Amino acid sequence: MTGRATFGELAAAASTHLARAVSLTDPVAPGRAPAVRAMHASEIRRGMSRMVTVLSRYVSDITASYLPESRWQIDVLAAWSRAAVDARRALAQTAALLAPDREQALAAGSSLRRSASPIGFELDSAIRCMTAGRDLLHTHLSAEPDGTRGYRSEWAPVIVSTPVTGALLVEGAQWAQMIASRGHQAAQAMVRRERDDSGAEESFLAQRRLILASESLLKVHWAARRADERQPVSAADMRLLHAIPANLLPARRSPGPREPTADLCRGMSNCAERTRYAARVAAAQASWSPYLTADSLSQTAASATAISHHCSIVLRTLSARALGFGSRSVSAQLSQSAIAAERAREAWLAAARMWELVTTETRGFTSPAAAETADLALWTGRLAFADSTWSLAHGPARPWRAPESLSPRFRDLPAVVAATHQACDALVQLAASDHEQIWQAVRAGRLYSPTRTLPEKTDIPHPFGPTPRSRVNLLLDTYRSAHQASAQTTAAVAAVAEAVRAPSTILAAARAATRATSAGLPMDRIVVGSVGAEESRATVELAESPGHFERILAELGETDQTMLKRAAAIDRACEQLMIQSARVTALRRGLVSDSLAARPNLMPEAIAVPTASREYEAEI
Amino acid sequence: MDAIAAASARLERAADLPAIIGAACDAFEYMLPALHEQQDPDGGAFTTFVMSAVVAVRGRNALLHAPSLPSAVSGRAAEGAIGRVTALEAATTMAALGHLLDARLTAAATLARTPGDRSACLDGARQARRLATLLAAAAGP
């Protein structure tokens, strides 16, 4: 689907090499020169030792955040967590048993030489593939200064999810079983050899170590098997693990004129991935990024409106085509998806119109996310409309692409569904990211409204004033609606993808796995796309912007909504106290009459926004 | 399109920098309801009118930052009377207004004495130019 190397390709290559290593004739069979047999036996043990090292690293990645010490701590772990702990111990035992062989190889410098025997060659090749597989997974993760793992891509939460962790342990256990099998074979050959060989005692010890190491390796297999019985790893989970690609963002490009439908679908999928990446980065950098501007957010919302519109057209066209193929159920599903896309279009249009009433103090910067979203609008438009040179500036009544052109044969339908699925999923991530950015802007007091759009009673002698609380809440609600509508569209299209076995089914599986509990690695603070996180923020009663104490708590990293609400209430009480005190003071000084002092707060919203007030004082 | 026509006339009559800036700001503002009217998914130019609204808002906001913006303009935006017009008529009319905005704001930038006014006029002109291009394409050949 991505055109990049995947973990599955490397895992399959490792398994192939291991299978060959198991099936090859034992080079340590009798009749061979003793020196040759000794060398080959050493290569097998060295290969096993190196393989155990690689497997240990895989398991250590999973158990990095928890190392239970007591029995009861182990007992309370979930099935696959416990399997990982047991596997780690078994691998440590195996490594200890093979330590003399490793040290011997290091001393002789043979660890750096290529293996001479075919079995050694296959083992070396398997090790390289397994190492490359782990490196591939690590392209999605980073090491943070505080020692936690950071997410570098949308696949990172999938890698640390329980289903994929279980699948990874199953894969590792299969490798361990194959290596153990090879070790047993080598150990048996050593038994035959010692009858006619000198140095029998040394050989006997090596053989014993090899047998014990092989048995210890089998514990890894049995640990995974026990966990699989309690919490089975499905074929879908294995497919998801194998589908994880290397973390390489596709290159940015625009659609060319008269590009075939298949290329348009591929380009659209790549652009959707870039858009999701840009959205995630924008959310992560929201607190300081100069790209957090009304210009960026309004353009993004407008482009998202266009994308939803184009997706609805594509889905309706596909629905007609599916009916032409005689597939009524798929046609009905596509029709339902189109309706959902139209609702998403309306939600995004509402979000775009909110930026006519709200702006930010920073302007002129357009974010990478806005640029990528505009690209995606162009790609989706090229797929939806018949004009092969269609652009966003094209005018009225451009005909839709004909159903036969969109999907000439039934087997072409999955690719178009997959591309549309990718685009819809990108909108979900975009809505979550933009909501996060707006939230950060609210906390920083960065939202303003043109005075001409504020209520009549607002008396602000400047072109812009602080955005009223009601409008901020409306803005956030609008983005929540856009997120919800986009998520519903994506779910509907995912169901179609499942029905027609589109390659994008892996996307739905990845999202489902991400929602599963993380098995080992600590969850990063960024959870873009989490509706739960957005809803918890939605319930916080906003001041016009965070007050003094609420801001302090936020800067200290407080996320407990109850604490933040208490801080906000303290801020409001302080504001009321100051207002009351100001009135009383003014009365005492005879500056105002009783009637004026009794009026409701003048410019209540400005006073309720200490930060904005200070800014306006500076302006005067 | 009465409000659009009135905005065009006022922009043509504007003699000095504050008047031009004020008229241009209001012109961008008055286009918004007209653009909303044309954001019909079945209308064929839906995407164009959605994008045009973003550009119109940028133009308005650019001029709101101009120091020479008349204080009277900071009041409530007048509700224009938008008649029933086709997408083609709306695109043609507003594209013409976009061209006029571009011309007047570019000229006004040469009259500006402060950097704030100059950048506001140039930014506004740029947005007007973009708006005119979008809507002219929507109007077709």
Side-chain angles (χ1 to χ4, degrees):
Chain A
M1 186 171 80
T2 64
R4 287 162 278 171
T6 63
F7 180 81
E9 289 166 0
L10 295 168
S15 299
T16 301
H17 286 298
L18 281 174
R20 283 194 202 134
V22 170
S23 66
L24 281 172
T25 306
D26 199 316
V28 297
R32 292 288 194 113
V36 171
R37 293 207 306 271
M39 181 193 70
H40 289 167
S42 169
E43 279 185 354
I44 291 172
R45 293 196 298 274
R46 179 172 60 85
M48 280 185 66
S49 175
R50 289 173 60 203
M51 205 157 291
V52 166
T53 302
V54 176
L55 281 175
S56 298
R57 286 174 186 157
Y58 268 102
V59 176
S60 292
D61 289 342
I62 297 170
T63 60
S65 65
Y66 59 92
L67 272 179
E69 294 171 354
S70 65
R71 191 70 229 167
W72 75 265
Q73 284 179 326
I74 296 173
D75 287 343
V76 300
L77 288 175
W80 284 106
S81 302
R82 182 165 176 175
V85 170
D86 292 343
R88 185 170 174 156
R89 288 187 175 179
L91 287 166
Q93 287 170 2
T94 313
L97 288 163
L98 293 172
D101 300 290
R102 190 168 55 248
E103 286 158 8
Q104 197 177 33
L106 279 171
S110 59
S111 62
L112 301 175
R113 288 199 295 269
R114 283 184 60 181
S115 297
S117 70
I119 292 179
F121 172 78
E122 296 296 341
L123 290 176
D124 285 348
S125 300
I127 291 165
R128 275 196 292 273
C129 292
M130 289 162 65
T131 304
R134 180 170 176 265
D135 289 345
L136 183 148
L137 295 179
H138 275 256
T139 61
H140 298 278
L141 303 165
S142 63
E144 297 297 307
D146 60 357
T148 57
R149 296 286 179 99
Y151 290 177
R152 297 181 65 195
S153 78
E154 60 186 353
W155 283 102
V158 178
I159 291 169
V160 305
S161 67
T162 303
V164 170
T165 303
L168 195 54
L169 282 170
V170 165
E171 192 81 59
Q174 287 170 353
W175 292 335
Q177 189 184 25
M178 283 196 272
I179 303 162
S181 168
R182 196 67 199 83
H184 272 299
Q185 291 173 7
Q188 285 166 2
M190 289 172 75
V191 169
R192 291 193 296 274
R193 187 186 67 184
E194 78 175 4
R195 291 192 192 116
D196 56 305
D197 228 349
S198 58
E201 183 179 349
E202 188 182 333
S203 178
F204 172 76
L205 289 173
Q207 180 242 351
R208 288 303 301 164
R209 280 203 311 274
L210 194 53
I211 291 173
L212 290 172
S214 301
E215 287 173 2
S216 186
L217 264 180
L218 276 178
K219 291 180 187 174
V220 177
H221 164 72
W222 289 115
R225 196 151 154 189
R226 277 194 302 273
D228 199 37
E229 285 168 4
R230 288 173 57 191
Q231 199 174 350
V233 167
S234 65
D237 296 336
M238 294 304 296
R239 274 198 303 274
L240 183 56
L241 171 66
H242 290 166
I244 297 174
N247 186 17
L248 294 168
L249 209 55
R252 185 182 182 191
R253 75 174 185 96
S254 297
R258 289 177 290 280
E259 205 156 323
T261 305
D263 290 348
L264 281 176
C265 291
R266 208 169 297 120
M268 204 162 121
S269 297
N270 287 342
C271 187
E273 184 176 347
R274 290 184 60 89
T275 303
R276 289 194 298 266
Y277 174 80
R280 199 179 62 257
V281 169
Q285 298 175 350
S287 60
W288 58 266
S289 173
Y291 292 125
L292 205 175
T293 61
D295 291 347
S296 297
L297 291 166
S298 63
Q299 182 174 319
T300 303
S303 297
T305 306
I307 293 166
S308 300
H309 179 56
H310 300 156
C311 286
S312 73
I313 293 173
V314 169
L315 291 166
R316 287 215 178 274
T317 308
L318 282 179
S319 176
R321 191 65 178 133
L323 200 60
F325 289 135
S327 182
R328 285 180 179 276
S329 63
V330 171
S331 175
Q333 280 182 300
L334 283 162
S335 185
Q336 289 301 314
S337 304
I339 294 171
E342 285 156 10
R343 281 198 288 267
R345 177 189 64 207
E346 297 310 309
W348 276 108
L349 184 59
R353 287 184 180 175
M354 283 302 301
W355 294 106
E356 297 171 11
L357 307 174
V358 182
T359 188
T360 54
E361 90 289 10
T362 314
R363 17 181 225 118
F365 291 101
T366 305
S367 65
E372 298 290 353
T373 315
D375 285 355
L376 189 57
L378 181 59
W379 280 101
T380 51
R382 285 286 173 94
L383 191 66
F385 295 106
D387 186 351
S388 61
T389 60
W390 182 91
S391 73
L392 291 169
H394 271 62
R398 296 288 166 169
W400 295 4
R401 186 181 286 266
E404 303 76 33
S405 166
L406 199 57
S407 178
R409 298 156 297 192
F410 188 78
R411 66 168 185 260
D412 298 316
L413 202 135
V416 184
V417 170
T420 311
H421 187 187
Q422 293 275 0
C424 293
D425 185 73
L427 293 185
V428 178
Q429 310 307 315
L430 213 55
S433 168
D434 287 0
H435 184 280
E436 171 69 18
Q437 291 181 72
I438 294 167
W439 175 247
Q440 293 291 339
V442 169
R443 285 161 59 124
R446 293 182 58 191
L447 293 185
Y448 298 91
S449 290
T451 315
R452 58 172 59 201
T453 67
L454 293 175
E456 288 274 351
K457 64 181 175 139
T458 309
D459 184 15
I460 298 176
H462 302 286
F464 295 96
T467 303
R469 175 199 303 214
S470 57
R471 192 172 288 182
V472 170
N473 281 343
L474 180 60
L475 180 63
L476 288 168
D477 281 344
T478 306
Y479 272 84
R480 269 192 295 276
S481 299
H483 180 276
Q484 190 176 13
S486 299
Q488 286 168 352
T489 308
T490 305
V493 180
V496 180
E498 190 71 38
V500 302
R501 294 183 191 171
S504 63
T505 49
I506 213 72
L507 195 62
R511 299 287 174 251
T514 304
R515 285 191 289 271
T517 310
S518 157
L521 297 176
M523 295 298 290
D524 193 275
R525 279 189 289 275
I526 302 165
V527 188
V528 177
S530 165
V531 178
E534 293 164 26
E535 284 175 350
S536 69
R537 288 199 186 104
T539 59
V540 173
E541 262 188 314
L542 295 170
E544 297 292 26
S545 66
H548 175 68
F549 291 102
E550 191 182 356
R551 192 176 292 120
I552 288 175
L553 282 190
E555 285 168 2
L556 289 172
E558 180 61 67
T559 56
D560 185 335
Q561 296 304 317
T562 307
M563 298 294 284
L564 289 170
K565 278 186 189 176
R566 286 175 61 186
I570 292 170
D571 286 326
R572 282 196 290 275
C574 288
E575 288 159 12
Q576 291 302 318
L577 182 63
M578 284 192 288
I579 293 166
Q580 193 177 355
S581 173
R583 280 200 211 127
V584 169
T585 305
L587 265 178
R588 284 188 195 138
R589 292 179 184 173
L591 296 177
V592 295
S593 67
D594 290 354
S595 59
L596 277 177
R599 260 169 54 182
N601 293 335
L602 297 176
M603 301 196 325
E605 289 163 349
I607 291 173
V609 189
T611 306
S613 296
R614 284 197 288 278
E615 288 176 0
Y616 281 118
E617 283 169 13
E619 220 174 293
I620 292 167
Chain B
M1 294 286 112
D2 290 347
I4 304 295
S8 295
R10 186 174 151 215
L11 189 59
E12 281 173 348
R13 283 198 310 270
D16 56 11
L17 182 65
I20 294 172
I21 290 174
C25 187
D26 284 346
F28 278 120
E29 184 78 51
Y30 294 159
M31 274 201 268
L32 292 176
L35 290 168
H36 291 174
E37 279 283 325
Q38 300 304 325
Q39 287 169 358
D40 176 12
D42 298 324
F46 171 72
T47 305
T48 304
F49 286 111
V50 169
M51 293 301 185
S52 297
V54 173
V55 178
V57 169
R58 284 185 186 174
R60 179 200 68 188
N61 288 351
L63 292 168
L64 285 175
H65 280 92
S68 295
L69 181 73
S71 57
V73 179
S74 300
R76 304 284 85 81
E79 286 296 320
I82 311 295
R84 295 288 298 171
V85 295
T86 65
L88 183 60
E89 287 168 346
T92 305
T93 305
M94 285 191 280
L97 178 55
H99 284 301
L100 180 61
L101 279 164
D102 180 17
R104 295 252 53 200
L105 286 170
T106 303
T110 62
L111 301 175
R113 290 182 185 169
T114 64
D117 281 333
R118 195 172 306 116
S119 70
C121 289
L122 289 175
D123 195 7
R126 187 166 50 246
Q127 302 305 332
R129 204 174 307 130
R130 199 165 158 225
L131 191 64
T133 304
L134 275 173
L135 292 170

